[in-house]
Amino acid sequence: LQNKIKTLEANQMAEEEASVASHKEFNERQEASLAKEQHLAEQLKEIEAKLSEATTLKDEMNSELGTHKAASLQKQEEQTKVCDDLQNKIKTLEANQMAEEEASASSHKELNERHEASLAKEQQL
């Protein structure tokens, strides 16, 4: 009976250690995900600032269109391309951020499932 108790206690300790390690791993992944998300947010702000600048330049060029029509049209096309490129980058960053959030949610779900399985195992013991 004492051996059985020792075995149950050892199993319970191992399960708790595994749960702590799993929580630690999840927290590390979540911290990495948050850092990446913060980095993406900073990149997004930079891109939005560039987009705002490009839009301002585009507006200025449109006002000069009467006197410098040919040059303005060429610059407008360039700025439109810059705007399109920046908008594509924003979409990519948003997609990456969404993928990171989904991966974090999936990791959290997996951790919860393991924890529930651990609790069920403890109840069986």
Side-chain angles (χ1 to χ4, degrees):
L1 190 57
Q2 287 177 337
N3 285 340
K4 199 169 193 176
I5 289 172
K6 286 180 184 178
T7 301
L8 288 173
E9 288 173 345
N11 288 344
Q12 184 176 359
M13 186 176 289
E15 286 289 331
E16 289 172 2
E17 288 173 357
S19 179
V20 167
S22 180
H23 279 286
K24 183 179 177 184
E25 178 186 333
F26 171 77
N27 287 340
E28 289 170 353
R29 276 197 250 152
Q30 193 170 29
E31 286 175 16
S33 176
L34 289 174
K36 192 167 188 175
E37 196 173 310
Q38 190 173 27
H39 178 69
L40 291 174
E42 290 169 6
Q43 285 182 326
L44 185 60
K45 283 182 184 177
E46 291 173 11
I47 289 171
E48 287 172 341
K50 288 179 183 178
L51 181 60
S52 175
E53 182 180 327
T55 301
T56 300
L57 289 173
K58 182 180 174 184
D59 291 344
E60 290 172 1
M61 286 188 294
N62 284 336
S63 69
E64 296 175 2
L65 189 59
T67 54
H68 303 94
K69 189 173 182 179
S72 292
L73 286 173
Q74 182 180 358
K75 285 183 179 181
Q76 183 179 4
E77 289 172 4
E78 292 171 2
Q79 290 302 320
T80 300
K81 184 184 181 315
V82 168
C83 288
D84 291 343
D85 290 347
L86 291 172
Q87 286 174 338
N88 287 335
K89 286 182 182 180
I90 289 171
K91 288 178 184 177
T92 300
L93 287 171
E94 289 172 342
N96 289 344
Q97 186 174 0
M98 186 176 292
E100 282 292 327
E101 289 170 0
E102 289 172 359
S104 179
S106 175
S107 176
H108 193 355
K109 181 180 177 186
E110 178 184 326
L111 178 62
N112 284 340
E113 289 171 355
R114 280 197 259 160
H115 185 64
E116 289 173 8
S118 175
L119 289 176
K121 202 170 193 180
E122 284 181 22
Q123 286 178 351
Q124 285 180 343
L125 296 177

